Each structure stands twice: as structure tokens, then as C-alpha cells.
Amino acid sequence: MLRRMVGGAFILGIVASIGLAVSPAIAQSNFGSLTLAPGFSANEGTAQGRTGGNTSLPASVAERDRNGDLCLGYGSATPDYLLNLTAGFEQLTLRVNGGGTTLIVQGPGGVLCGDGQVSASGWAAGEYQVWVGTGSPGERSNYTLRVSE
């Protein structure tokens, strides 16, 4: 047993020394990112995507948001978008067109959930992960995500 631990430590030391196991995870999304600063244009705050997946978003992201509201929907385990705010915002609203879509936003201020819309005050600068979901597993739908001040 001691021999395995020493050998395992030796291999781990080699992997760490060549940089394979020590680099931090890089955030990824399905459709890209939006980087917004105060006063952004409508075009800068608009993105297209295709929702759908079999992952229960409440089980993989959050069951309830910071206000105690239920988070609902099915989608991808990977966020659909990364929303990068270069500064804080007094107020932001994220809307997804079409019925039957859910929205989960996770970032510096916690989690916010909504039925196709999330609106809140006090958005801190930083990166937010955005999931667009559907009411049933495997449903697919094209959508437009709009962010407004």
C-alpha cells in the first residue's frame, strides 16, 4: 500500500509539474458571452440561442433563488450564455421571447429565477451564468435573449 501511495504521489508530482492538473477551470457556455457596460445598446444586449436538454436545472443549479422563488426547467448542464458586467448596474432585466421558457441567472449576487424573465436591482460587476430552460425534458426551441437596463 505504501508503494502505491508513493507511486501515486510521484505520478501526481509529474502531472502537476507539467501543468496538466493545476490549471483552473475556464468557464464555458453553449452560445457565447455578452459583455455589457452601463449605457449599452439594444444590439449589445441581444443574443440568440436554442434551448433544450434533459438536465433538471433546479437539481444542477439551484432549487430556489435568493428571493426564495422556485427555479424550474430543463436545459443543458452548461450555461447557455455568460453575461459579463464590467460595472455594477442599478437595475437589469433579462427576458426570453416565447412561452414555456424558464430563466436561471447565477452570479456574484446569488441566483435569480423566473418564468421567461428575471428583473432585479443591485447587480454587481462580474460574470453571470445564464440558463434558458423549457418546461419538459428534451423540448427544443429557438429563442432571443434580451438584456435591458
Side-chain angles (χ1 to χ4, degrees), residues 30-141:
N30 292 324
F31 302 109
S33 63
L34 297 170
T35 299
L36 303 177
F40 64 90
S41 71
N43 283 344
E44 292 173 308
T46 302
Q48 308 289 319
R50 182 167 174 83
T51 189
N54 293 314
T55 300
S56 168
L57 297 177
S60 67
V61 182
E63 290 182 15
R64 294 188 178 270
D65 69 8
R66 69 183 190 194
N67 300 318
D69 295 328
L70 287 172
C71 298
L72 302 171
Y74 293 88
S76 172
T78 306
D80 292 307
Y81 277 95
L82 299 177
L83 173 61
N84 298 297
L85 303 181
T86 62
F89 284 82
E90 287 290 320
Q91 178 75 30
L92 277 182
T93 299
L94 285 76
R95 284 189 186 96
V96 179
N97 70 329
T101 55
T102 63
L103 197 56
I104 298 178
V105 181
Q106 181 179 37
V111 175
L112 291 167
C113 300
D115 186 13
Q117 178 175 313
V118 168
S119 187
S121 58
W123 293 74
E127 182 178 89
Y128 294 79
Q129 298 174 322
V130 179
W131 285 267
V132 178
T134 60
S136 299
E139 272 184 64
R140 302 273 180 206
S141 176

